[in-house]
């Protein structure tokens, strides 16, 4: 069982306000995969990510092995667990992406808030 601890307030602020986050999943043998740059949002005291390309994207598939990895944003680097989500929280994550990334085209916002992308929503839990 993975032990998690809450984000520190400063970490929540820095990671949650970052435009993008670097993420690497932990492989079966324990080493980190290659770093990928993805969008990130904060909802309340949670940090959330999803794959704009849905469950077929390589970085998302990598999270399926151990549901663990490492993230880096705005000087914060943390080991994390990836917790799958859906439902009401997913709706709040959609709203956060629409607000945070409103300067992007309607097509881009539609892609990150689509049901395909939403099916990959994960909460990042510090370890």
């Amino acid at each position: 069982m993975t032990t998690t601890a809450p984000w520190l307030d400063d970490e929540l602020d820095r990671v949650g306000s970052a435009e993008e986050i670097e993420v690497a999943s932990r492989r079966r043998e324990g080493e980190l995969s290659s770093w990928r740059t993805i969008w990130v949002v904060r909802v309340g005291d949670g940090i959330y990510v999803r794959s704009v390309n849905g469950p077929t994207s390589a970085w998302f598939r990598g999270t399926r092995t151990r549901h663990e990895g490492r993230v880096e944003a705005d000087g914060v680097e943390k080991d994390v667990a990836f917790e799958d989500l859906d439902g009401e929280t997913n709706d709040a994550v959609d709203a956060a992406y629409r607000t945070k990334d409103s300067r992007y085209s309607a097509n881009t916002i539609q892609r990150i808030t689509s049901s395909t992308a939403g099916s990959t929503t994960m909460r990042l839990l510090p370890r």
Side-chain angles (χ1 to χ4, degrees):
M1 179 179 213
T2 301
T3 302
T4 62
W7 291 96
L8 300 175
D9 288 341
D10 179 60
E11 294 170 338
L12 269 173
D13 291 342
R14 291 165 61 194
V15 175
S17 66
E19 180 71 24
E20 299 173 326
I21 191 170
E22 298 291 320
V23 63
S25 58
R26 205 159 284 287
R27 295 182 173 141
R28 191 174 327 279
E29 301 78 21
E31 74 273 4
L32 290 173
S33 66
S34 300
W35 290 95
R36 302 293 175 107
T37 303
I38 60 174
W39 285 353
V40 59
V41 294
R42 176 182 177 178
V43 176
D45 289 339
I47 300 294
Y48 299 89
V49 296
R50 58 173 54 157
S51 170
V52 70
N53 294 316
T56 60
S57 73
W59 81 263
F60 178 79
R61 287 192 328 262
T63 68
R64 308 293 81 199
T65 302
R66 290 180 59 160
H67 292 271
E68 297 175 356
R70 184 177 299 231
V71 296
E72 192 281 321
D74 195 21
V76 175
E77 188 168 337
K78 291 284 249 193
D79 286 327
V80 296
F82 300 106
E83 177 185 69
D84 296 335
L85 291 182
D86 57 23
E88 288 181 31
T89 302
N90 224 359
D91 293 341
V93 172
D94 282 348
Y97 274 114
R98 284 187 192 101
T99 299
K100 185 174 183 181
D101 299 324
S102 62
R103 73 177 185 279
Y104 292 101
S105 72
N107 181 56
T108 300
I109 298 302
Q110 191 282 326
R111 287 184 62 219
I112 196 65
T113 59
S114 70
S115 60
T116 300
S119 72
T120 66
T121 304
M122 296 178 288
R123 184 175 183 167
L124 304 181
L125 301 171
R127 299 186 25 214

